[in-house]
Coordinates of all heavy atoms in Angstrom, one line a residue:
M24 N 25.2 20.9 -4.4 CA 24.2 20.4 -5.4 C 22.8 20.5 -4.8 O 22.5 20.3 -3.7 CB 24.5 18.9 -5.6 CG 25.8 18.7 -6.4 SD 25.5 18.8 -8.2 CE 24.8 17.2 -8.5
K25 N 21.9 20.9 -5.8 CA 20.5 21.1 -5.4 C 19.7 19.8 -5.9 O 20.1 19.2 -6.9 CB 20.0 22.3 -6.1 CG 20.6 23.6 -5.6 CD 19.8 24.2 -4.5 CE 20.3 25.6 -4.2 NZ 21.4 25.6 -3.2
C26 N 18.7 19.6 -5.1 CA 17.7 18.5 -5.5 C 17.2 18.7 -6.9 O 17.0 19.9 -7.3 CB 16.6 18.5 -4.4 SG 15.2 17.5 -4.8
K27 N 16.9 17.7 -7.6 CA 16.3 17.8 -9.0 C 14.9 18.4 -8.9 O 14.5 18.9 -10.0 CB 16.2 16.4 -9.6 CG 17.5 15.7 -9.8 CD 17.9 15.9 -11.3 CE 19.2 15.1 -11.6 NZ 20.0 15.6 -12.7
L28 N 14.3 18.4 -7.8 CA 12.9 18.8 -7.8 C 12.6 20.1 -7.0 O 11.5 20.6 -7.0 CB 12.0 17.7 -7.2 CG 12.0 16.4 -8.1 CD1 11.4 15.3 -7.3 CD2 11.3 16.6 -9.3
C29 N 13.6 20.5 -6.2 CA 13.4 21.7 -5.4 C 14.7 22.4 -5.1 O 15.7 22.0 -5.6 CB 12.6 21.4 -4.1 SG 13.6 20.4 -3.0
E30 N 14.7 23.3 -4.3 CA 15.9 24.2 -4.0 C 16.8 23.6 -2.8 O 17.7 24.3 -2.5 CB 15.5 25.6 -3.8 CG 15.0 26.3 -5.0 CD 16.0 26.4 -6.1 OE1 17.1 27.0 -5.9 OE2 15.7 25.9 -7.2
R31 N 16.4 22.5 -2.3 CA 17.1 22.1 -1.1 C 18.4 21.3 -1.5 O 18.5 20.9 -2.7 CB 16.2 21.1 -0.3 CG 15.1 21.8 0.4 CD 14.2 20.9 1.2 NE 13.1 21.6 1.7 CZ 12.0 21.9 1.1 NH1 11.9 21.5 -0.2 NH2 11.0 22.6 1.6
E32 N 19.3 21.2 -0.6 CA 20.5 20.5 -0.8 C 20.3 19.0 -1.0 O 19.4 18.4 -0.3 CB 21.5 20.7 0.3 CG 22.1 22.1 0.3 CD 23.0 22.4 -0.9 OE1 23.8 21.6 -1.2 OE2 22.8 23.5 -1.4
I33 N 21.0 18.3 -1.8 CA 20.9 16.9 -2.0 C 21.4 16.1 -0.8 O 22.5 16.5 -0.3 CB 21.7 16.4 -3.3 CG1 20.9 16.9 -4.5 CG2 21.9 14.9 -3.3 CD1 21.7 16.6 -5.8
I34 N 20.7 15.1 -0.4 CA 21.1 14.2 0.7 C 21.7 12.9 0.1 O 22.7 12.5 0.5 CB 19.9 13.9 1.6 CG1 19.3 15.1 2.3 CG2 20.2 12.8 2.6 CD1 20.2 15.7 3.3
E35 N 21.0 12.4 -0.8 CA 21.4 11.1 -1.4 C 20.9 11.1 -2.8 O 19.8 11.4 -3.2 CB 20.7 9.9 -0.6 CG 21.5 8.7 -0.7 CD 20.7 7.5 -0.1 OE1 20.0 7.7 1.0 OE2 20.7 6.4 -0.6
K36 N 21.8 10.6 -3.7 CA 21.5 10.6 -5.2 C 21.1 11.9 -5.6 O 21.7 12.9 -5.3 CB 20.5 9.5 -5.5 CG 21.1 8.1 -5.1 CD 20.6 7.0 -6.1 CE 21.3 5.7 -5.7 NZ 20.4 4.7 -5.1
E37 N 19.9 12.0 -6.4 CA 19.6 13.3 -6.9 C 18.5 14.1 -6.1 O 18.1 15.1 -6.5 CB 19.1 13.2 -8.4 CG 17.9 12.3 -8.6 CD 18.3 10.9 -9.0 OE1 18.5 10.0 -8.1 OE2 18.4 10.6 -10.2
F38 N 18.1 13.5 -4.9 CA 17.0 14.2 -4.2 C 17.5 14.7 -2.8 O 18.4 14.2 -2.2 CB 15.9 13.2 -4.0 CG 15.3 12.6 -5.3 CD1 15.1 11.3 -5.4 CD2 14.9 13.5 -6.2 CE1 14.6 10.8 -6.6 CE2 14.3 13.0 -7.4 CZ 14.1 11.7 -7.6
C39 N 16.7 15.7 -2.4 CA 16.8 16.2 -1.0 C 16.2 15.2 0.0 O 15.6 14.2 -0.5 CB 16.1 17.5 -0.9 SG 14.3 17.5 -1.0
L40 N 16.2 15.5 1.2 CA 15.7 14.5 2.3 C 14.2 14.2 2.0 O 13.8 13.1 2.0 CB 15.8 15.2 3.6 CG 15.3 14.4 4.8 CD1 16.2 13.1 5.0 CD2 15.4 15.2 6.1
F41 N 13.4 15.2 1.7 CA 12.0 15.0 1.5 C 11.6 14.2 0.3 O 10.8 13.3 0.3 CB 11.2 16.4 1.5 CG 11.3 17.2 2.7 CD1 12.3 18.2 2.9 CD2 10.5 16.9 3.8 CE1 12.4 18.9 4.1 CE2 10.6 17.6 5.0 CZ 11.6 18.6 5.1
H42 N 12.2 14.6 -0.8 CA 12.0 13.9 -2.1 C 12.6 12.4 -2.0 O 12.0 11.5 -2.6 CB 12.5 14.7 -3.3 CG 11.6 15.8 -3.6 ND1 12.0 17.2 -3.5 CD2 10.3 15.9 -3.9 CE1 11.0 17.9 -3.8 NE2 9.9 17.2 -4.1
R43 N 13.7 12.3 -1.3 CA 14.3 11.0 -1.2 C 13.4 10.1 -0.4 O 13.2 8.9 -0.7 CB 15.7 11.2 -0.5 CG 16.4 9.9 -0.2 CD 17.0 9.3 -1.5 NE 17.1 7.9 -1.3 CZ 17.3 7.0 -2.2 NH1 17.4 7.4 -3.4 NH2 17.4 5.7 -1.9
Y44 N 12.9 10.6 0.7 CA 12.0 9.9 1.5 C 10.7 9.4 0.7 O 10.3 8.3 0.8 CB 11.6 10.7 2.7 CG 10.6 10.1 3.7 CD1 11.0 9.0 4.5 CD2 9.3 10.5 3.8 CE1 10.2 8.4 5.3 CE2 8.4 9.9 4.7 CZ 8.8 8.8 5.4 OH 7.9 8.2 6.3
A45 N 10.2 10.4 0.0 CA 9.0 10.1 -0.9 C 9.4 9.0 -1.9 O 8.6 8.1 -2.1 CB 8.5 11.3 -1.6
Y46 N 10.5 9.0 -2.5 CA 11.0 8.1 -3.5 C 11.1 6.7 -2.8 O 10.6 5.7 -3.4 CB 12.3 8.5 -4.0 CG 12.9 7.6 -5.1 CD1 12.3 7.4 -6.3 CD2 14.1 6.9 -4.8 CE1 12.8 6.5 -7.2 CE2 14.6 6.0 -5.7 CZ 14.0 5.8 -6.9 OH 14.5 5.0 -7.8
D47 N 11.6 6.6 -1.6 CA 11.8 5.3 -0.9 C 10.4 4.7 -0.7 O 10.2 3.5 -0.8 CB 12.5 5.5 0.4 CG 14.0 5.5 0.3 OD1 14.5 5.2 -0.8 OD2 14.7 5.9 1.2
K48 N 9.4 5.6 -0.3 CA 8.1 5.1 0.0 C 7.4 4.6 -1.3 O 6.7 3.6 -1.2 CB 7.2 6.2 0.6 CG 7.2 6.1 2.1 CD 6.5 7.3 2.8 CE 5.0 7.4 2.5 NZ 4.4 8.5 3.2
I49 N 7.6 5.2 -2.4 CA 7.1 4.8 -3.6 C 7.6 3.4 -4.0 O 6.9 2.5 -4.4 CB 7.4 5.8 -4.8 CG1 6.6 7.1 -4.6 CG2 7.1 5.2 -6.1 CD1 7.1 8.3 -5.4
K50 N 8.9 3.2 -3.8 CA 9.6 2.0 -4.2 C 9.1 0.9 -3.3 O 8.9 -0.3 -3.7 CB 11.1 2.1 -4.1 CG 11.7 2.7 -5.3 CD 13.1 2.2 -5.6 CE 14.0 2.3 -4.4 NZ 15.4 2.2 -4.8
K51 N 9.0 1.2 -2.0 CA 8.5 0.1 -1.0 C 7.1 -0.2 -1.3 O 6.7 -1.4 -1.2 CB 8.6 0.6 0.4 CG 10.1 0.4 0.9 CD 10.2 1.0 2.3 CE 11.7 1.1 2.7 NZ 11.9 2.2 3.7
G52 N 6.3 0.7 -1.7 CA 4.9 0.5 -2.0 C 4.7 -0.4 -3.2 O 3.9 -1.2 -3.3
Y53 N 5.6 -0.2 -4.2 CA 5.6 -1.0 -5.4 C 5.7 -2.5 -5.1 O 5.1 -3.3 -5.7 CB 6.6 -0.5 -6.4 CG 6.7 -1.3 -7.7 CD1 5.5 -1.4 -8.5 CD2 7.8 -2.0 -8.1 CE1 5.6 -2.1 -9.7 CE2 7.8 -2.6 -9.3 CZ 6.7 -2.7 -10.1 OH 6.7 -3.4 -11.3
V54 N 6.7 -2.8 -4.2 CA 6.9 -4.2 -3.8 C 5.6 -4.9 -3.4 O 5.3 -6.0 -3.7 CB 8.0 -4.3 -2.8 CG1 8.2 -5.8 -2.3 CG2 9.3 -3.8 -3.3
I55 N 4.9 -4.1 -2.6 CA 3.6 -4.7 -2.0 C 2.6 -4.8 -3.1 O 1.9 -5.8 -3.2 CB 3.1 -3.7 -0.9 CG1 4.1 -3.7 0.3 CG2 1.7 -4.2 -0.4 CD1 3.9 -2.6 1.2
W56 N 2.5 -3.8 -4.0 CA 1.5 -3.8 -5.1 C 1.8 -4.9 -6.1 O 0.8 -5.6 -6.6 CB 1.5 -2.5 -5.8 CG 0.7 -1.4 -5.2 CD1 0.8 -1.0 -3.9 CD2 -0.4 -0.6 -5.8 NE1 -0.1 0.0 -3.7 CE2 -0.8 0.3 -4.8 CE3 -0.9 -0.5 -7.1 CZ2 -1.8 1.2 -5.0 CZ3 -1.9 0.3 -7.3 CH2 -2.4 1.2 -6.3
V57 N 3.0 -5.2 -6.4 CA 3.4 -6.2 -7.4 C 2.9 -7.6 -6.8 O 2.4 -8.4 -7.6 CB 4.9 -6.2 -7.6 CG1 5.4 -7.6 -8.1 CG2 5.3 -5.1 -8.6
E58 N 3.1 -7.8 -5.5 CA 2.7 -9.1 -5.0 C 1.2 -9.3 -5.0 O 0.7 -10.3 -5.3 CB 3.2 -9.2 -3.5 CG 4.6 -9.6 -3.5 CD 5.1 -9.9 -2.1 OE1 4.3 -10.1 -1.2 OE2 6.3 -9.9 -1.9
A59 N 0.5 -8.2 -4.7 CA -1.0 -8.3 -4.6 C -1.7 -8.2 -6.0 O -2.7 -8.8 -6.3 CB -1.5 -7.1 -3.8
L60 N -1.1 -7.4 -6.9 CA -1.9 -7.1 -8.2 C -1.1 -7.4 -9.4 O -1.7 -7.3 -10.5 CB -2.2 -5.6 -8.2 CG -3.0 -5.0 -7.0 CD1 -3.0 -3.5 -7.1 CD2 -4.5 -5.5 -7.2
D61 N 0.1 -7.9 -9.4 CA 0.8 -8.1 -10.6 C 0.8 -6.9 -11.5 O 0.5 -7.0 -12.7 CB 0.3 -9.4 -11.3 CG 1.2 -9.9 -12.3 OD1 2.4 -9.7 -12.2 OD2 0.7 -10.6 -13.3
I62 N 1.2 -5.8 -11.0 CA 1.1 -4.6 -11.8 C 2.6 -4.2 -12.2 O 3.5 -4.5 -11.5 CB 0.5 -3.4 -10.9 CG1 0.1 -2.2 -11.7 CG2 1.4 -3.1 -9.7 CD1 -0.8 -1.2 -10.9
N63 N 2.7 -3.5 -13.3 CA 4.1 -3.1 -13.7 C 4.4 -1.7 -13.1 O 3.5 -1.0 -12.7 CB 4.3 -3.2 -15.2 CG 3.5 -2.2 -16.0 OD1 3.4 -1.0 -15.6 ND2 3.1 -2.6 -17.2
W64 N 5.6 -1.3 -13.2 CA 6.1 -0.1 -12.6 C 5.4 1.2 -13.1 O 5.0 2.0 -12.3 CB 7.6 0.0 -12.8 CG 8.3 1.2 -12.3 CD1 9.1 2.1 -13.1 CD2 8.5 1.7 -11.0 NE1 9.7 3.0 -12.3 CE2 9.3 2.9 -11.0 CE3 8.0 1.3 -9.8 CZ2 9.6 3.6 -9.9 CZ3 8.3 2.0 -8.6 CH2 9.1 3.2 -8.7
K65 N 5.2 1.2 -14.4 CA 4.5 2.4 -15.0 C 3.1 2.5 -14.6 O 2.6 3.6 -14.3 CB 4.6 2.2 -16.6 CG 5.2 3.5 -17.2 CD 5.3 3.3 -18.7 CE 4.9 4.7 -19.3 NZ 4.8 4.6 -20.8
D66 N 2.4 1.4 -14.6 CA 1.0 1.4 -14.2 C 0.9 1.7 -12.7 O -0.1 2.5 -12.3 CB 0.3 0.0 -14.4 CG 0.1 -0.3 -15.9 OD1 0.1 0.7 -16.7 OD2 -0.1 -1.4 -16.3
Y67 N 1.8 1.2 -12.0 CA 1.8 1.5 -10.5 C 1.9 3.1 -10.3 O 1.2 3.7 -9.6 CB 2.9 0.8 -9.9 CG 3.3 1.3 -8.5 CD1 2.4 1.0 -7.4 CD2 4.5 1.9 -8.2 CE1 2.7 1.5 -6.1 CE2 4.8 2.4 -6.9 CZ 3.9 2.2 -5.9 OH 4.2 2.6 -4.6
L68 N 2.9 3.7 -11.0 CA 3.1 5.1 -10.9 C 1.9 5.9 -11.3 O 1.5 6.8 -10.6 CB 4.3 5.6 -11.8 CG 5.7 5.1 -11.3 CD1 6.7 5.6 -12.3 CD2 6.0 5.6 -9.9
N69 N 1.2 5.5 -12.4 CA 0.0 6.1 -12.8 C -1.1 6.0 -11.7 O -1.8 7.0 -11.5 CB -0.5 5.5 -14.1 CG 0.3 5.9 -15.3 OD1 0.9 7.0 -15.3 ND2 0.4 5.1 -16.3
E70 N -1.2 4.8 -11.2 CA -2.3 4.6 -10.1 C -2.0 5.5 -8.9 O -3.0 6.1 -8.4 CB -2.3 3.1 -9.7 CG -2.9 2.2 -10.7 CD -4.4 2.6 -11.0 OE1 -5.1 3.0 -10.1 OE2 -4.7 2.6 -12.2
I71 N -0.8 5.5 -8.4 CA -0.6 6.3 -7.2 C -0.6 7.8 -7.5 O -0.9 8.6 -6.6 CB 0.7 5.9 -6.4 CG1 1.9 5.9 -7.2 CG2 0.5 4.5 -5.7 CD1 3.2 5.7 -6.4
E72 N -0.3 8.1 -8.7 CA -0.4 9.6 -9.1 C -1.8 10.0 -9.0 O -2.1 11.2 -8.6 CB 0.2 9.8 -10.4 CG 0.5 11.2 -10.8 CD 1.2 11.4 -12.1 OE1 1.0 10.6 -13.0 OE2 1.9 12.4 -12.2
K73 N -2.7 9.2 -9.4 CA -4.2 9.5 -9.4 C -4.7 9.5 -8.0 O -5.8 10.2 -7.8 CB -4.9 8.5 -10.3 CG -4.9 8.8 -11.7 CD -5.8 7.8 -12.5 CE -5.3 6.4 -12.6 NZ -6.2 5.5 -13.3
N74 N -4.1 8.8 -7.1 CA -4.6 8.6 -5.8 C -4.5 9.9 -5.0 O -3.5 10.5 -4.8 CB -3.9 7.5 -5.1 CG -4.5 7.1 -3.8 OD1 -5.1 7.9 -3.1 ND2 -4.3 5.8 -3.4
S75 N -5.7 10.4 -4.4 CA -5.7 11.6 -3.7 C -4.9 11.5 -2.4 O -4.6 12.6 -1.8 CB -7.1 12.1 -3.4 OG -7.8 11.1 -2.7
L76 N -4.7 10.3 -1.9 CA -3.9 10.2 -0.7 C -2.4 10.3 -0.9 O -1.7 10.5 0.1 CB -4.2 8.8 -0.1 CG -5.6 8.5 0.4 CD1 -5.8 7.1 0.9 CD2 -6.0 9.4 1.5
T77 N -2.0 10.3 -2.1 CA -0.6 10.4 -2.4 C -0.2 11.9 -2.1 O -0.8 12.8 -2.6 CB -0.3 10.1 -3.9 OG1 -0.7 8.8 -4.1 CG2 1.2 10.1 -4.2
G78 N 0.9 12.1 -1.4 CA 1.3 13.4 -1.0 C 2.0 14.2 -2.1 O 2.3 13.7 -3.1
R79 N 2.1 15.5 -1.8 CA 2.8 16.4 -2.8 C 4.2 16.0 -3.1 O 4.6 16.0 -4.3 CB 2.8 17.8 -2.2 CG 3.1 18.9 -3.2 CD 3.3 20.2 -2.5 NE 4.7 20.6 -2.7 CZ 5.4 21.4 -1.9 NH1 4.9 21.7 -0.8 NH2 6.6 21.7 -2.2
W80 N 4.9 15.6 -2.1 CA 6.3 15.2 -2.4 C 6.4 14.0 -3.4 O 7.2 14.0 -4.3 CB 7.1 14.8 -1.1 CG 7.1 15.9 -0.1 CD1 6.4 15.9 1.1 CD2 7.8 17.2 -0.1 NE1 6.6 17.1 1.8 CE2 7.5 17.8 1.1 CE3 8.7 17.7 -1.0 CZ2 8.1 19.1 1.4 CZ3 9.3 18.9 -0.7 CH2 8.9 19.6 0.5
A81 N 5.6 13.0 -3.0 CA 5.5 11.8 -3.8 C 5.1 12.1 -5.3 O 5.7 11.6 -6.2 CB 4.6 10.8 -3.2
K82 N 4.1 13.0 -5.4 CA 3.6 13.3 -6.8 C 4.7 14.0 -7.6 O 4.9 13.8 -8.8 CB 2.4 14.2 -6.7 CG 1.2 13.4 -6.3 CD -0.1 14.0 -6.5 CE -1.2 13.0 -6.3 NZ -2.5 13.6 -5.9
E83 N 5.5 14.8 -7.0 CA 6.6 15.5 -7.7 C 7.7 14.5 -8.1 O 8.2 14.5 -9.2 CB 7.3 16.6 -6.8 CG 6.4 17.8 -6.6 CD 6.9 18.8 -5.6 OE1 7.9 18.5 -5.0 OE2 6.2 19.8 -5.4
V84 N 7.9 13.5 -7.2 CA 8.9 12.4 -7.5 C 8.3 11.6 -8.7 O 9.1 11.3 -9.7 CB 9.2 11.6 -6.3 CG1 10.0 10.3 -6.7 CG2 9.9 12.4 -5.3
I85 N 7.1 11.2 -8.7 CA 6.5 10.4 -9.7 C 6.6 11.1 -11.1 O 7.0 10.5 -12.1 CB 5.0 10.2 -9.4 CG1 4.8 9.2 -8.2 CG2 4.3 9.5 -10.7 CD1 3.4 9.2 -7.6
K86 N 6.3 12.4 -11.1 CA 6.4 13.2 -12.3 C 7.8 13.1 -12.9 O 8.1 13.0 -14.1 CB 6.0 14.6 -12.1 CG 5.0 15.2 -13.1 CD 4.6 16.6 -12.7 CE 4.8 17.4 -14.0 NZ 4.9 18.9 -13.7
F87 N 8.8 13.3 -12.0 CA 10.2 13.2 -12.4 C 10.6 11.8 -12.9 O 11.2 11.8 -14.0 CB 11.0 13.6 -11.1 CG 12.5 13.4 -11.4 CD1 13.2 14.4 -12.1 CD2 13.2 12.3 -10.9 CE1 14.6 14.2 -12.4 CE2 14.6 12.2 -11.1 CZ 15.3 13.1 -11.9
I88 N 10.1 10.8 -12.2 CA 10.5 9.4 -12.7 C 9.9 9.1 -14.0 O 10.6 8.5 -14.9 CB 10.0 8.4 -11.7 CG1 10.6 8.5 -10.3 CG2 10.3 6.9 -12.2 CD1 10.0 7.7 -9.2
K89 N 8.7 9.6 -14.3 CA 8.0 9.3 -15.5 C 8.6 10.0 -16.8 O 8.4 9.6 -17.9 CB 6.5 9.6 -15.4 CG 5.8 8.5 -14.7 CD 4.4 9.0 -14.2 CE 3.4 9.0 -15.4 NZ 2.1 9.5 -15.0
E90 N 9.3 11.1 -16.5 CA 9.8 11.8 -17.6 C 11.0 11.2 -18.3 O 11.8 10.5 -17.7 CB 10.3 13.2 -17.2 CG 9.1 14.2 -17.2 CD 9.4 15.5 -16.5 OE1 10.5 15.7 -16.1 OE2 8.4 16.2 -16.3
Ligands
ZN15 ZN1 13.7 18.1 -3.2

C-alpha cells in the first residue's frame, strides 16, 4: 500500500513515515493551541497552513485533512 500523499509505503494508517510524523505533530500542536487560544480544528489548520514555518510534509497533510 502506498501513502495517500506520496509514493512511499504506508507505515501506519494511510500515511508513510514522513507524513505520519507530520500528522502527529499537527495533532499535538492543536492540543497546545486549543488551551491557549480556544481555536477550533478547522481554524487551527488554516492558521498553520498560512504559517511559513510549517514544513512541506505538514502542508501536504493539512491539505489532505481539509478535503
Ligand atoms: Zn507520504
Side-chain angles (χ1 to χ4, degrees):
M24 287 275 281
K25 295 270 190 271
C26 173
K27 294 262 187 204
L28 297 168
C29 68
E30 292 296 302
R31 291 178 186 84
E32 289 294 314
I33 286 175
I34 296 290
E35 202 188 324
K36 299 214 176 106
E37 60 264 89
F38 299 130
C39 69
L40 182 65
F41 296 99
H42 285 116
R43 177 71 207 167
Y44 180 70
Y46 179 68
D47 278 348
K48 264 176 58 176
I49 290 165
K50 279 210 311 195
K51 280 178 192 151
Y53 179 59
V54 174
I55 296 161
W56 277 53
V57 159
E58 279 187 17
L60 300 169
D61 193 27
I62 194 169
N63 69 40
W64 178 237
K65 232 180 141 184
D66 287 342
Y67 167 71
L68 291 178
N69 287 332
E70 284 302 317
I71 56 171
E72 195 177 26
K73 278 188 288 182
N74 191 329
S75 61
L76 295 175
T77 306
R79 193 191 117 210
W80 303 107
K82 284 193 172 154
E83 288 172 359
V84 171
I85 292 163
K86 230 180 129 200
F87 174 76
I88 298 170
K89 281 166 77 180
E90 274 167 10

